[in-house]
Amino acid sequence: LGSYTTSAAFRGECNYNIARMGVIVHEFVHTLGIPDLYDLGGRYTEDSPNVGGIGGYDTMANPGGQSGRQAYPGFLSAWTKYKIGWLDPIRIQVDGTYEADAAETTPDIFMIGEPYYSFGEYLLIENRQPISFDSRIWNGLGGVLIYHIDDTVNDFLGNSGPGNKFRGFPGQEGWPGNFNHYNVALLQADRLYEQEKAENNGHAEDFWREGD
C-alpha cells in the first residue's frame, strides 16, 4: 500500500454541508511528498491571526487560499510544482529581459541558482494572476512572486526535513546572525516580512510590479 490520504466529505459536525476542496487538495498533495508550508514553529504570538509560512500563496500553507474560503484554495506555489516534478524551471544565467505568462495556466517558472547562490539555495519566480482558483487575489491585482528557497537550512540549524521551521526577520533577537530563515520564503515586495511575523495571509503589496 502506497501513500494515501483521507478527508471528510462534509463540513462541520452532524450536518450535510458538502466539504470544500481546500483541505482535500492540501492533504492529497502531502501524498506527493510535499510538506506543510505554514510556520511549523507555531504561531508567532499566542493571538496571531495567521499561521505564517507563505500564507495564501500555496494551498500547502493555507487551504483557504487568499480569501480564506476553501472553495477558492488558490494554486500551488512555484516551489511545490517544481518539487512534485510538474515543471522544469527556466534557468536564468545571463542578464536579459524575460517574459512569463500566468503560472496558473503555463509552466513559465524562472530559477536563479548557481553560480549566484550556493548549492541548494535559489530563487523561483512566477507570474500569478487573479484567474481560476486564484481569482480571489487581493484587489484583483496579480504580479510577480519571488520565492527564496534554501533546501539546506533545516539540516544546518539542526532540524532535518523540509518545511518552514525557522522564521527570521529584521528586529528578531540575534537576526541575521542566527541564520534563521524559512526553507520556502516569499520575498515580499513591500519588504515588511509580514509572512514571517504571521501578520496577514498576504496582500497586494507582496507582488513585484514594474518600478519595484
Side-chain angles (χ1 to χ4, degrees):
L1 182 65
S3 298
Y4 69 94
T5 183
T6 60
S7 297
F10 299 100
R11 288 181 289 156
E13 298 178 2
C14 301
N15 63 49
Y16 296 96
N17 292 319
I18 298 298
R20 300 299 186 245
M21 67 175 64
V23 168
I24 296 172
V25 172
H26 176 99
E27 299 302 336
F28 174 75
V29 174
H30 277 315
T31 70
L32 304 179
I34 302 302
D36 291 313
L37 293 177
Y38 49 75
D39 193 321
L40 296 172
R43 293 183 182 273
Y44 176 53
T45 64
E46 190 173 316
D47 59 351
S48 291
N50 301 287
V51 294
I54 57 173
Y57 298 103
D58 194 314
T59 310
M60 301 310 291
N62 188 336
Q66 298 97 16
S67 66
R69 297 180 57 199
Q70 291 190 42
Y72 292 88
F75 273 77
L76 301 174
S77 69
W79 181 82
T80 296
K81 290 186 284 188
Y82 169 50
K83 284 298 183 180
I84 291 173
W86 288 351
L87 55 81
D88 185 17
I90 302 165
R91 272 68 170 177
I92 294 179
Q93 296 180 316
V94 297
D95 292 342
T97 300
Y98 298 85
E99 296 182 2
D101 288 328
E104 294 87 355
T105 58
T106 73
D108 290 358
I109 304 296
F110 295 109
M111 173 187 282
I112 300 176
E114 297 180 88
Y116 306 104
Y117 288 91
S118 58
F119 176 77
E121 187 176 7
Y122 49 94
L123 301 180
L124 290 176
I125 304 167
E126 65 177 352
N127 174 16
R128 292 279 285 272
Q129 294 297 316
I131 57 177
S132 186
F133 292 113
D134 268 346
S135 63
R136 297 304 195 266
I137 282 177
W138 303 274
N139 297 341
L141 298 174
V144 170
L145 293 179
I146 304 175
Y147 304 88
H148 173 258
I149 313 299
D150 188 347
D151 290 330
T152 69
V153 63
N154 293 340
D155 289 333
F156 178 76
L157 292 175
N159 192 332
S160 61
N164 288 331
K165 303 176 181 180
F166 299 99
R167 66 176 74 95
F169 49 85
Q172 180 188 65
E173 184 177 357
W175 194 86
N178 57 18
F179 299 106
N180 284 357
H181 56 277
Y182 284 148
N183 173 192
V184 181
L186 182 72
L187 298 184
Q188 298 135 70
D190 60 13
R191 302 166 178 84
L192 296 179
Y193 288 79
E194 290 168 321
Q195 292 302 304
E196 285 79 0
K197 299 175 185 178
E199 292 181 352
N200 57 46
N201 189 44
H203 56 59
E205 287 70 36
D206 291 334
F207 292 83
W208 296 84
R209 302 185 182 90
E210 187 175 4
D212 287 331

